[in-house]
């Protein structure tokens, strides 16, 4: 196939950027021709506020670029990862005008929530779900700014009125059943929203554990449950050592807590820590998209203690770890202590975590799922059925 991947990078690298890279490499590994149209939020600094709001709503440069690439390169599928703010939903219409089918991966909840997390004031929030996102503007849910939130809310409202979400995208990829249900409740056509998880392009290998420590990896922010994490280790000084990898607005709080803060680390170093750790803790308080940290932990055979909410509720079962109520430091501490006190159980969970990865998150499995989605997008766009064998040829 000839595929154009579209992605607007964030200023801070994250899981979406990793998926964009690995999905492109996966397609190339299986013989497809991949083109990339990439924008970066570092370029926002040179754009005035009014001009940036206009580009968030409809980016003329991105429209022209995508239409030109699709026509010049004979692109069959345009697969979009992130459009905010420099690409905008205009890229969908450009792709359709030039004759390509359109697929959008829903990495977060931006189409339902200007803040993208469905999380506000320390708890899940669905106040804007399926309605005009005026509450988000009132609460300044995007970057803590009412004006910036208003620009995103205007984009969402305008494209809902234009029918962009119903007419311009042929298939949406939700990462979990939990996410799919929310997007359908929020107004996306149920027949167009399918579930395909993220994956790892390369197997990091199974670790042996035994390092005698618990690991947290993630952005140090309230929605990630960092406050719950800190409180658990403050209340229970007998818990095993906790190594914290990451950076963010709560870094000072983590530095002052009774934990070992390592800051941001290269991915290879993070994977080495996962192979050595005895447990991963993931106390996130928002629903998440599909955390690559969890996928990596499962691949390393690392048992997980996670919040019983959102994506975590479908990714972490009793064979791979334990789930606890979000925002409950006592339950988190109790689960960690119970697993750390039971080495045979941890050994069984290591095997269960690895089996979960092999069943759901390998590259080969993901390629098959992605081809089926492209096939269905073709059928939606052109009203014809394209055999999978033809797409894989």
């Amino acid at each position: 196939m000839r595929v154009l991947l579209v992605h607007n990078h964030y200023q801070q690298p994250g899981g979406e950027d990793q998926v964009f890279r690995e999905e492109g490499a996966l397609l190339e590994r299986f013989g497809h021709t991949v083109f990339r149209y990439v924008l970066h939020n570092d370029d926002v600094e040179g754009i005035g506020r009014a001009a940036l709001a206009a580009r968030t709503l409809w980016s003329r440069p991105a429209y022209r670029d995508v239409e030109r690439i699709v026509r010049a390169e004979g692109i069959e599928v345009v697969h979009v990862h992130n459009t905010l703010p420099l690409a905008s939903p205009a890229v969908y219409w450009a792709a359709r005008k030039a004759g390509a089918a359109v697929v959008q991966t829903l990495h977060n909840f931006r189409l339902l929530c200007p803040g993208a997390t469905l999380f506000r004031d320390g708890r899940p929030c669905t106040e804007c779900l399926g309605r005009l996102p005026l509450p988000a503007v009132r609460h300044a849910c995007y970057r803590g700014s009412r004006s910036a939130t208003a620009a995103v809310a205007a984009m969402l409202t305008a494209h809902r009125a234009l029918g962009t979400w119903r007419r311009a995208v042929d298939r949406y990829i939700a990462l979990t059943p939990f996410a799919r249900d929310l997007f359908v409740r929020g107004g996306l056509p149920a027949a167009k929203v399918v579930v395909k998880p993220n994956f790892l392009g390369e197997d990091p290998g199974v670790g042996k554990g035994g390092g005698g420590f618990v690991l947290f990896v993630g952005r140090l922010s309230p929605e990630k449950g960092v406050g719950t994490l800190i409180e658990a280790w403050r209340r229970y000084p007998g818990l095993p050592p906790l190594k914290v990898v990451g950076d963010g607005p709560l870094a000072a709080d983590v530095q002052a807590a009774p934990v070992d803060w390592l800051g941001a680390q290269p991915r290879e170093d993070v994977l080495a820590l996962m192979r050595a750790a005895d447990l991963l803790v993931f106390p996130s308080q928002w629903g998440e998209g599909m955390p690559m940290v969890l996928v990596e932990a499962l691949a390393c055979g690392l048992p997980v203690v996670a919040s019983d909410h959102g994506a975590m509720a479908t990714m972490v079962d009793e064979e791979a770890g334990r789930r606890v109520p979000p925002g409950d430091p006592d339950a988190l501490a109790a689960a960690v202590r119970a697993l750390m006190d039971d080495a045979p159980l941890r050994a069984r969970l290591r095997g269960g975590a690895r089996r979960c990865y092999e069943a759901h998150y390998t590259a080969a499995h993901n390629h098959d799922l992605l081809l089926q989605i492209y096939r269905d997008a073709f059928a939606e766009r052109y009203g014809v059925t394209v055999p999978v064998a033809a797409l894989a040829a």
Side-chain angles (χ1 to χ4, degrees):
M1 295 202 71
R2 300 178 71 80
V3 181
L4 174 64
L5 301 180
V6 176
H7 185 47
N8 192 139
H9 285 277
Y10 299 101
Q11 288 178 313
Q12 291 189 342
E16 293 184 29
D17 302 318
Q18 181 182 342
V19 173
F20 170 74
R21 289 192 303 271
E22 294 196 348
E23 207 151 71
L26 174 71
L27 289 167
E28 290 174 328
R29 192 183 316 158
F30 279 85
H32 306 286
T33 302
V34 178
F35 299 84
R36 295 164 177 85
Y37 180 66
V38 176
L39 298 165
H40 202 291
N41 277 0
D42 285 347
D43 297 331
V44 167
E45 302 300 327
I47 303 174
R49 182 177 297 180
L52 180 60
R55 284 191 66 171
T56 299
L57 181 63
W58 186 275
S59 175
R60 293 182 180 180
Y63 183 98
R64 290 194 300 267
D65 290 343
V66 169
E67 182 184 7
R68 174 182 53 79
I69 295 169
V70 171
R71 292 190 189 280
E73 304 299 345
I75 301 297
E76 297 161 292
V77 171
V78 173
H79 186 164
V80 183
H81 286 266
N82 176 46
T83 66
L84 190 76
L86 299 176
S88 86
V91 297
Y92 306 144
W93 294 106
R96 289 185 69 81
K97 181 180 178 182
V102 178
V103 174
Q104 168 70 59
T105 295
L106 301 164
H107 289 285
N108 55 45
F109 299 111
R110 185 80 64 195
L111 297 192
L112 308 175
C113 163
T117 61
L118 293 173
F119 183 87
R120 180 173 60 81
D121 294 339
R123 60 183 182 274
C125 173
T126 56
E127 200 171 349
C128 294
L129 188 65
R131 56 180 290 194
L132 293 177
L134 297 179
V137 178
R138 186 168 66 251
H139 296 295
C141 290
Y142 179 62
R143 294 180 174 270
S145 164
R146 285 195 175 92
S147 62
T149 306
V152 178
M155 178 271 290
L156 295 173
T157 302
H159 286 282
R160 182 183 297 177
L162 286 170
T164 298
W165 316 128
R166 291 180 291 102
R167 296 166 47 211
V169 179
D170 301 299
R171 279 296 178 273
Y172 292 96
I173 298 175
L175 303 177
T176 65
F178 167 79
R180 182 186 185 277
D181 289 346
L182 280 174
F183 280 110
V184 172
R185 282 173 54 198
L188 293 188
K192 290 188 176 186
V193 187
V194 298
V195 176
K196 181 189 77 65
N198 289 332
F199 70 101
L200 294 183
E202 295 185 7
D203 186 345
V206 182
K208 295 182 179 179
F213 65 91
V214 178
L215 181 66
F216 171 88
V217 179
R219 177 171 163 77
L220 305 184
S221 55
E223 71 274 7
K224 288 291 186 178
V226 172
T228 302
L229 187 71
I230 292 172
E231 187 60 27
W233 259 259
R234 278 182 176 154
R235 290 185 188 181
Y236 301 94
L239 288 174
L242 172 66
K243 294 183 184 294
V244 175
V245 175
D247 205 347
L250 297 183
D253 293 350
V254 172
Q255 191 171 19
V259 303
D260 183 11
W261 178 44
L262 304 180
Q265 295 290 316
R267 184 164 179 261
E268 282 307 313
D269 292 351
V270 173
L271 293 174
L273 286 166
M274 286 184 172
R275 288 188 289 265
D278 289 312
L279 291 176
L280 179 89
V281 284
F282 198 87
S284 184
Q285 292 181 237
W286 73 287
E288 297 279 348
M290 169 158 282
M292 293 303 294
V293 167
L294 289 187
V295 178
E296 290 167 339
L298 295 172
C300 291
L302 178 59
V304 178
V305 176
S307 297
D308 190 13
H309 172 65
M312 295 73 74
T314 61
M315 294 180 69
V316 180
D317 62 20
E318 289 292 309
E319 298 300 312
R322 295 293 184 266
R323 300 195 304 269
V324 297
D328 188 335
D330 299 317
L332 179 65
V336 168
R337 178 175 288 135
L339 293 183
M340 290 299 290
D341 288 344
D342 193 337
L345 175 58
R346 286 204 316 278
R348 291 198 299 274
L349 293 177
R350 294 191 81 87
R354 177 65 186 189
R355 287 191 294 274
C356 181
Y357 161 73
E358 292 172 346
H360 301 292
Y361 306 117
T362 64
H365 177 61
N366 209 270
H367 174 258
D368 293 342
L369 295 175
L370 192 56
L371 274 187
Q372 183 62 54
I373 291 168
Y374 287 173
R375 174 181 184 264
D376 293 342
F378 255 89
E380 186 77 32
R381 178 73 173 91
Y382 297 109
V384 297
T385 299
V386 180
V388 171
L391 295 184

